[in-house]
Amino acid sequence: MKKIPLLVCLLLGLMLGRTCARAQAPEAFVDYAGQLALNTVSETAKTEATVKTFVDGDTTHFYVPSGVAENGVLRARFLAVNTPEITGRVEEYGQMAAAFTREKLSGAVSILLESDSAGWNLDSTGSRHLVWVWYKARGESTYRCLNLELLQNGLALANSTANNRYGSICMAALNQARAQKLHLYSGRKDPGFYYGEAIEVTLRELRLHAETYNGKKVAFSGIVSMNRDQSVYVEAFDPETGLYFGMPVYYGYGMSGAGLEILSVGNEVRIVGTLQYYEASGVWQVSGITYRMMKPDDPDNIQKLSGGHGAAYAPVDADTFQNGRVAVETAQGVQTFPWAQLALGTTVSMPNLHVQSAATTLAKGSAGYGAITLACTGDDGAEVTVRTEPFYENGALITQDRYVGKTISLKGVVDFYDGAYQIRVLMMDHLVIE
């Protein structure tokens, strides 16, 4: 056999190497959202819109013209996409997808919603409209489809992606994201997600499904609204329902000074602890929280996320507090809950309560010594129970005589005691005689 000269072998090897390199080079990113044009004269239903509330990556509430949706608010569920969750169990890349949607729509000078047909279609819950979301960025002359952008950037999973009017280009965008291993399809960890032992949830999820997480280590974020009796109340706004959800967090006597600083009222915090039912009070609470100064970034630590916030003190009237019901979408479908049950652990304000009777706990040595229980009615006739902490003026204990027969306004936290919901007032200046 004739030998091939060494120089020829080296040249052939180099040429083959270049050929393989070219074959393995990644394909250029295709901007499918830039290729898809909005047909403003097609038969599909369309409406102009402005953002009312951002919920997550694939759900936003919009203000729309009257006649399009009830009360002028359209609760939109984006067609063809399913972004990771952040309203219940918090999932990887969920916050990133939500931030992407917020960024695009916050900077838009115009937003159009389009149905997949000539009418407005509801999703399986019957409470949200299925839409394509088109937006025009500042300085641009054309609209871009946000649904398609979520797919091509790897921030959404498939959701009947091929079965719609833009199915072909949606699938092309999805397949590209998979091929280029973008975000959800990258196989890499989400840099904004906590990978500790705790289950990442929202306060809404804990309040709605407490039994599911009983005895489990959970992690959630919210604003510290109050600090009392070695516990803080943590609350967070839920854009889907427009309600605040809250939870008492017991830190006990062993928390370090640095940990207590994190738990200061007004801080947005990340809480990691065990959810348990506290039999003595008949409420759910989180306990077992820790702060390790030598490991400030430990995902199982409590952490300060930001500061300078205030308690919500969401206004509510007596009838809503006592008799209100709220429909909430859950994994089991739409369920209805008492308003006060959902508001447990959150701060509220209530004006014009008429104190019908009151009683002061005066048993020496009792845990509630000096506390006042007020039986009140609102202007609507609904009854509300208010319980105060012991209040003192010039060293003397204030009793029920201060309030009986008066009209008061208050700020407090929703509590549960002896089988009934009540408002607990923790500071004297939060109970004002009108």
Side-chain angles (χ1 to χ4, degrees):
M1 173 183 278
K2 188 176 180 180
K3 293 184 178 180
I4 301 174
L6 178 60
L7 179 60
V8 175
C9 288
L10 292 173
L11 289 173
L12 285 171
L14 182 61
M15 291 174 63
L16 288 171
R18 288 178 176 174
T19 301
C20 291
R22 284 197 298 270
Q24 294 173 1
E27 295 184 5
F29 180 82
V30 178
D31 181 14
Y32 290 104
Q35 293 182 0
L36 183 63
L38 171 63
N39 183 354
T40 58
V41 296
S42 69
E43 76 284 1
T44 57
K46 303 177 188 68
T47 184
E48 294 182 345
T50 57
V51 173
K52 177 182 183 290
T53 307
F54 291 104
V55 177
D56 57 19
D58 58 29
T59 306
T60 303
H61 299 169
F62 294 95
Y63 290 116
V64 294
S66 59
V68 176
E70 185 178 358
N71 300 322
V73 176
L74 186 146
R75 296 156 55 94
R77 176 66 166 81
F78 301 180
L79 281 160
V81 301
N82 185 18
T83 61
E85 292 298 319
I86 63 169
T87 59
R89 288 282 289 267
V90 179
E91 299 173 341
E92 294 175 89
Y93 291 101
Q95 295 290 358
M96 188 180 293
F100 186 89
T101 292
R102 178 184 292 270
E103 176 192 358
K104 298 301 182 183
L105 296 184
S106 295
V109 295
S110 179
I111 299 172
L112 286 177
L113 305 181
E114 180 186 21
S115 179
D116 207 50
S117 64
W120 294 105
N121 305 311
L122 296 174
D123 70 354
S124 59
T125 70
S127 62
R128 299 180 299 187
H129 288 81
L130 295 167
V131 298
W132 300 101
V133 181
W134 298 83
Y135 72 95
K136 186 188 295 183
R138 191 174 305 279
E140 299 294 328
S141 59
T142 58
Y143 286 89
R144 292 176 66 86
C145 180
L146 180 56
N147 313 50
L148 194 53
E149 279 194 302
L150 287 164
L151 287 170
Q152 74 181 23
N153 282 280
L155 292 172
L157 300 170
N159 185 21
S160 297
T161 303
N163 303 321
N164 56 71
R165 65 186 300 104
Y166 303 124
S168 296
I169 196 168
C170 282
M171 287 304 302
L174 177 62
N175 290 332
Q176 174 179 256
R178 289 169 172 165
Q180 297 195 0
K181 301 185 184 306
L182 302 180
H183 295 123
L184 281 167
Y185 307 101
S186 66
R188 295 187 295 272
K189 290 184 176 181
D190 175 1
F193 186 80
Y194 293 97
Y195 288 92
E197 298 177 358
I199 304 169
E200 299 287 334
V201 294
T202 61
L203 276 168
R204 162 180 161 168
E205 176 74 1
L206 284 186
R207 181 56 65 196
L208 293 179
H209 304 110
E211 293 83 359
T212 302
Y213 301 98
N214 186 21
K216 297 180 180 179
K217 182 183 285 188
V218 295
F220 58 90
S221 61
I223 309 297
V224 179
S225 62
M226 292 188 179
N227 188 335
R228 200 75 170 183
D229 298 331
Q230 289 77 52
S231 296
V232 292
Y233 289 90
V234 180
E235 61 188 11
F237 181 71
D238 173 55
E240 180 74 12
T241 59
L243 300 175
Y244 285 87
F245 290 85
M247 185 69 63
V249 178
Y250 179 73
Y251 58 79
Y253 295 91
M255 181 60 64
S256 67
L260 292 174
E261 184 64 27
I262 289 173
L263 296 174
S264 295
V265 172
N267 282 349
E268 179 189 14
V269 296
R270 180 174 185 265
I271 297 293
V272 183
T274 302
L275 182 69
Q276 296 175 324
Y277 187 71
Y278 186 44
E279 293 284 353
S281 298
V283 297
W284 292 94
Q285 69 174 21
V286 170
S287 60
I289 66 173
T290 59
Y291 180 68
R292 302 172 182 87
M293 290 187 63
M294 302 304 293
K295 295 183 178 181
D297 296 324
D298 186 330
D300 290 332
N301 259 358
I302 60 170
Q303 296 181 14
K304 177 181 175 180
L305 304 178
S306 61
H309 305 279
Y313 292 118
V316 62
D317 58 64
D319 185 60
T320 300
F321 182 86
Q322 186 68 18
N323 305 309
R325 307 282 293 180
V326 181
V328 182
E329 184 181 339
T330 71
Q332 292 74 40
V334 177
Q335 295 180 281
T336 302
F337 300 87
W339 186 94
Q341 178 183 336
L342 299 187
L344 270 173
T346 67
T347 56
V348 295
S349 60
M350 188 178 296
N352 300 325
L353 282 177
H354 311 291
V355 182
Q356 306 299 326
S357 63
T360 306
T361 301
L362 295 175
K364 291 290 186 179
S366 67
Y369 174 77
I372 307 173
T373 301
L374 309 172
C376 308
T377 58
D379 289 338
D380 47 31
E383 298 178 353
V384 175
T385 299
V386 177
R387 184 172 175 82
T388 77
E389 293 295 284
F391 295 150
Y392 293 85
E393 188 174 60
N394 299 323
L397 180 68
I398 295 175
T399 64
Q400 71 266 22
D401 296 337
R402 171 73 64 92
Y403 303 107
V404 174
K406 304 293 177 55
T407 297
I408 60 172
S409 294
L410 61 80
K411 291 180 179 179
V413 63
V414 180
D415 197 14
F416 188 79
Y417 178 74
D418 197 23
Y421 300 105
Q422 63 179 15
I423 301 176
R424 186 180 179 191
V425 178
L426 302 179
M427 289 178 278
M428 183 175 172
D429 60 355
H430 283 179
L431 190 61
V432 178
I433 298 174
E434 297 182 349

